[in-house]
Amino acid sequence: MNGQGPARPDVREAGVTMPAAFWAFHERYYPVYLSYAELQLGERRRAVDLVDRVFVHLARHWPMLMREESPEATAWSMMKSAVEEALIFEGRRHAMPATAAFQQVSRRVLEDFRAELSLLESALGLYAAIAELPDRHFDVIVLQYVLGYSTAQTAGIMGIAEVTVRTYRHLARRTLARELSMEGGGRGADADR
């Protein structure tokens, strides 16, 4: 990464010139995928390698991906599977609770949930609870509260409807409130971002 945006994956071996739509997709989602992978893997270099491999795969299968009902959802699933496979291969769980990126935004999360988190003794309890959320709920919380994407952006990244993002967010917040023995479930702070 040279500061001029995300590097283009080496798709020369795919044997075709990639259409502009691929590069637009790459430019839009590479930074998101990289942030998410780094959060999960705990190391930027490993995240870059993984995301580059995902985009090479997407390039090789671009025409097939474009025939999918929701290319964004399919690509997001592929990216998440690559992260999960890397973690399984290494015999470990995701690094999200311990990563520096997550801890840097913990202040923001704590401010957003200040009233609800007043009973929380340790921020690690919140991170551990987030890590245990169901897959889609986890993604919504991480994309919105950790990585700072809006409801609309999160929906686009995950290839789902905005109302579905709001539902997952609401359910995740209720689960976190219950897991952390809090009252309510955060109805007041669940407004769109």
Side-chain angles (χ1 to χ4, degrees):
M1 308 284 288
N2 57 13
Q4 298 176 351
R8 291 185 171 203
D10 186 1
V11 295
R12 288 174 286 178
E13 59 190 70
V16 295
T17 301
M18 296 309 298
F22 171 81
W23 294 116
F25 187 92
H26 179 273
E27 189 170 321
R28 181 173 185 184
Y29 293 114
Y30 188 95
V32 178
Y33 288 15
L34 181 60
S35 295
Y36 187 88
E38 185 175 6
L39 191 66
Q40 300 299 320
L41 300 174
E43 294 178 28
R44 184 157 186 91
R45 183 72 245 153
R46 289 174 49 223
V48 167
D49 291 343
L50 182 135
V51 174
D52 284 350
R53 286 193 311 271
V54 167
F55 272 95
V56 167
H57 180 82
L58 293 174
R60 288 182 178 147
H61 299 88
W62 186 252
M64 187 169 38
L65 180 66
M66 291 298 97
R67 288 191 297 270
E68 292 286 330
E69 183 177 331
S70 175
E72 293 85 357
T74 301
W76 180 250
S77 276
M78 294 169 98
M79 204 288 298
K80 286 186 50 76
S81 291
V83 169
E84 290 168 13
E85 288 172 13
L87 292 171
I88 289 168
F89 180 76
E90 295 170 8
R92 64 186 186 90
R93 298 193 56 166
H94 53 80
M96 188 271 301
T99 59
F102 193 87
Q103 291 178 8
Q104 285 178 346
V105 286
S106 67
R107 285 180 290 246
R108 180 171 164 204
V109 172
L110 291 172
E111 289 169 11
D112 288 349
F113 292 95
R114 183 181 307 273
E116 296 156 27
L117 296 177
S118 62
L119 301 176
L120 185 60
E121 291 181 17
S122 165
L124 289 176
L126 172 62
Y127 305 151
I130 291 171
E132 297 302 319
L133 287 170
D135 195 44
R136 294 282 184 133
H137 300 181
F138 173 85
D139 290 348
V140 166
I141 294 299
V142 169
L143 288 169
Q144 289 205 280
Y145 293 108
V146 178
L147 299 177
Y149 292 99
S150 70
T151 298
Q153 291 169 317
T154 299
I157 292 163
M158 294 177 67
I160 59 178
E162 288 183 44
V163 68
T164 305
V165 170
R166 287 190 292 273
T167 299
Y168 287 152
R169 183 180 62 225
H170 174 74
L171 294 172
R173 291 171 60 87
R174 275 189 20 199
T175 299
L176 290 172
R178 187 174 53 252
E179 291 297 316
L180 298 171
S181 300
M182 294 179 199
E183 295 294 320
R187 267 182 243 137
D190 207 20
D192 263 331
R193 301 175 36 139

